Amino acid sequence: MASGALLPVFALMTSLLASLIIFTLPEDRGRVRTLVNIGAALIKLALVAVMIRGVAIGQEYLLAFDMLPGVEFVLRADALAMLFAGLSALLWLLTTIYAIGYLEASPNRSRFFGFFSLCVASTMGIALAGNLFTFFIFYEMLTLSTYPLVVHRGTPKALRAGRNYLIYTLTGGAVLLLGIVCLHGLVGDLRFQEGGHFAGAGPELRGALPWVFFLLVSGLGVKAALVPLHGWLPQAMVAPAPVSALLHAVAVVKAGAFGIVRVVFEVFGLESAQSMGLLSVLVVVASVTILYGSAMALYQVDLKRRLAFSTISQVSYIVLGLCLFGPVGAAGGLVHLVNQGIMKITLFFCAGNYAETLGAHRIDELDGAGKRMPGTSVAFTIAAFGMIGAPPLAGFITKWMLGIGALAEGMDWVVGVLILSSVLNAAYFLPILHRLWFRERTTPWPKEYRWGRLETSVWLFWPPLMTAVMTMAIGVFAAMPFSPLAWVILIVSREVAL
Amino acid sequence: MTPWLMAGLLFTPLAWAVLTLFPAFRLGRVLTRLGILAQFLVAAGLWMTVAQDGGFYYPLGGWKAPLGIELRVDGLAVTFVVLTAVVACACGWHAGDYLSPETGRHRYFWPLFWFLWAGLNGVWLGADLFNLYVGLELISLCSVGLVALAGNVGALRAAIRYLLAALLGSLAYLLGVALIYGQFGSLSLAGIQALVASAESFPGAGVGLFIMILGLALKTALFPLHGWLPPAHGIAKSPVSALLSALVVKASFYIAARLWLALGEELGSFVLAQAVGVAGALAVILGSWLAFCQSRLKQVVAYSSVAQIGYLFLLFPLTFGVPDSVVQLAQQGIALQVISHALAKAAMFLAAGNLILSVGSNRVEALAGVSRFLPFSLFSFALAGVSLMGLPPSGGFTAKWLLLQASLASGQWWWLAVLLLGGLLSAAYVFRIYRASFVESRGQDQFYHPPRVLEAIPMMLALMSLCLGFVSEPVLAVMSLPFEEGG
Amino acid sequence: MSVSLLYAFAGVALCAMGGLGFTVLEHLLRKLLAFNLMGSGVFLVLVGLAQHRGVPDPVPQAMVLTGIVVTIAATALAVVLMRRYYHLSGQTGLVVCEERKEPME
């Protein structure tokens, strides 16, 4: 099936080619660059949509060849891959639109958008990778292509953040590589497979596998920002807002979380990972991360740093969901992959808007911003309530599923973690909302720009509103076909025989 | 067909060396470019022949060993012949535009370049120990001449130091050859291997092997014998540095590796193998660290060669006293490492030369703000860096993967740490350069743009080293032709 | 012990002397002479060791001849470089003034 092998490659190639074209464009060809950017994003979205339809009816998209003797390069579109690919294709389009507006008239745009597209190509590769070896290729490519985005501003602070980012992620990559090589040495090349490979593993493997699991998860945990491997993330906030949005909502942290999902579901298998006692450790780590991230967020005065700690906390819901042993919890975790992405990207878009339009970076500079920028502030409010878990928004779905999953497996204390975390979420989001809507502005804005009729530039105005609408839609229409929840249930039914 | 190819391989470079001895720089450039094309076609033709029909022995001019010269043409040799053709092609072409025709002594680049190429081909194809010596000496003398081409005091000092080290190394090698010949009465590597396998014990031969490897390690700049390399590679003209780092150091390593694979199992010892491995490991770690500390761009790249050469010497412990499957993994890993390092390092030196041209200084800090202008060379530098760091999808990554597998399978897990740590350290020095280019503090907006050709060549080399990972399987398939028949 | 083997041992001794001189001496020309001494030692070993079983063997002699040619070439190159170096810097050793700032490339 020729088209079956080619579709994943095309999906990868669109952003790869876009990045090559953009790199060669001169700085002043802004219009062409915009065209290439948005065109590529649209094409990719269409390709992913085609593949999603195909996967739903059970079609197989697979490309595989030997890179080394006994080591395969595999691109494969399965249901899980499509969850992540769909999310990143959709959010890439919006972030591209946003970034065009955000970086208008700033220098080095060719460089920025080139690496930006490269970064999305890597994300696509991570989604479509069919074994750990291929996954690792794109995982490291992501590290390399995000570095120039983090240090984009070229200030000493940005360079320092970039250095720490590299130290964390490259070390994590080395540990992950070690884990993959060890696994390869034990059992040879393994494609990702629904249900995992080690259901009937003998005792000789059971001795070594926990160590391999430990290596893999700690390698991936760096990008997923599991405590205590999270140090790079708050620092990386110096990057421009679209980068923070993309890094936190889609690319980097999600790549780590998605990797953990792949390892637990499709390498080890939920059943055998549980029977080896691997998940009970992970669930504690995830819970600690959730609470630690939320608690630290309380103390941040910089808006983007507060959002960063919130990310640390929220991404661990995904890991937590996996570790609840049951299908409902797993579904809750997976659906949060999408939910958190959409909500967090909204929040970062809004934070970027405040910074770019009003010059407000700190939370205490936001007094009365709701009157000046109602659209942005409404989007922010919706996303923040979603994060807290208010029904019927996206975050509620996650927390509901996780809670039910935990109760079903008799892990009542997890519900406690969820409630405590929601309280903390409320504690760090509500004061911001209070400042936005209920405080009067007494001083002038730190650095205000005006864009005619709208409260901000058109490019900056619509993306957060659209993601905010999605946040609501995901929650309200959770039961519809092709909603993230429905898709996740499809995945889980394939992974774990219900 | 084959005789013509073989003749072309060795005699074209020699003929061209004589041909370019007298003309001025510009005429030499034209002649060389013609020759490069011919030579490249010959190399490709030979590769295809071997890929189809397998390896063979070829007596030069019909004279048989021991007095005649017999060439051994197998998959590994022919892969290196092609690699040499690619890198020499790139460097020769680059040099034509990079070196200034106005400086009189630059015209000697051409004959030296061709003699070097002849020597390299001789080493890849040499089947007996003495011809390898002659090839090595030819390479050393040409390289020294090329280093001295820069003409200033520093270059001469580096050249003399290099020459002395190279001569000492060659003599040690020759002494080893004398001992081996005294023992076995044969010079052919295959002949000695057969004699060694015939179960007698040869007490003196182990010493011979040890001295040879010591001499070759000095010529390959294995830590702690690396002192001569950074000054020579750092100060030479960029295309010369590229040739030296990419190919010349590999020639002596290639001989050491062939010796070890043929004789190591019987004549070597576990302690020797581990000691060489430890020296390699130290080279990886200290070399990378020193590279990180350098303030001049080309010195960074030169010390990075010291580090990367260290990886190669992991061949010794990973092929001693281990199962055949591990030996094969290690051989393949090292061969890929040689190829990817050759491509990446050549790209890196050429790109570094361009960057130095465009900012007008050889210091790392001078790169501030250069990334704003998206110079191709910076990209080439970064892409080559990906291969040096051993990150996917580069050839450096697949090499590292194979070596990791080999260390794991051989039970010598301590090399795992070296491989992983080495990768991280090389990331440190590559990103230091990269980072410097992102600094936005300097107001300078005046950068010289080197001609397109100069920028395109390192890019092509860097892309080749990057994509090597994807085609590793077919490359290894041709290369492993000799391994299966046991050398 | 045959005469040939004696030659070989003399060669080893020469080699050791040359090696010592090569590492210890400062002056470049002395280093070069030490190198030549080593070379002669190696050639003695090569001829002596190979013939000690009593059968004349043409191969080592061919090798030594070639080796001498190579050594002459190397010596000539070394002398040229050292002379030029002395003209430019006025130094006869490598160690002096190593710290001095070197011009680019």
Side-chain angles (χ1 to χ4, degrees), chain B residues 143-168:
Chain B
S143 316
V144 171
L146 285 170
V147 171
L149 211 60
N152 53 39
V153 181
L156 284 172
R157 185 187 288 128
I160 293 173
R161 175 174 287 187
Y162 180 15
L163 178 65
L164 292 176
L167 290 178
L168 193 61

Side-chain angles (χ1 to χ4, degrees), chain B residues 7-24 26-40 42 107-118:
Chain B
L9 214 52
L10 286 179
F11 292 119
T12 331
L14 288 175
W16 248 266
V18 177
L19 211 59
T20 50
L21 208 47
F22 300 105
R26 287 197 175 84
L27 182 56
R29 178 165 67 191
V30 175
L31 284 171
T32 298
R33 285 183 175 169
L34 289 174
I36 280 177
L37 286 180
Q39 191 65 9
F40 190 77
V42 169
R107 72 188 173 91
Y108 293 115
F109 178 83
W110 303 121
L112 288 169
F113 169 79
W114 283 110
F115 274 125
L116 180 65
W117 198 338

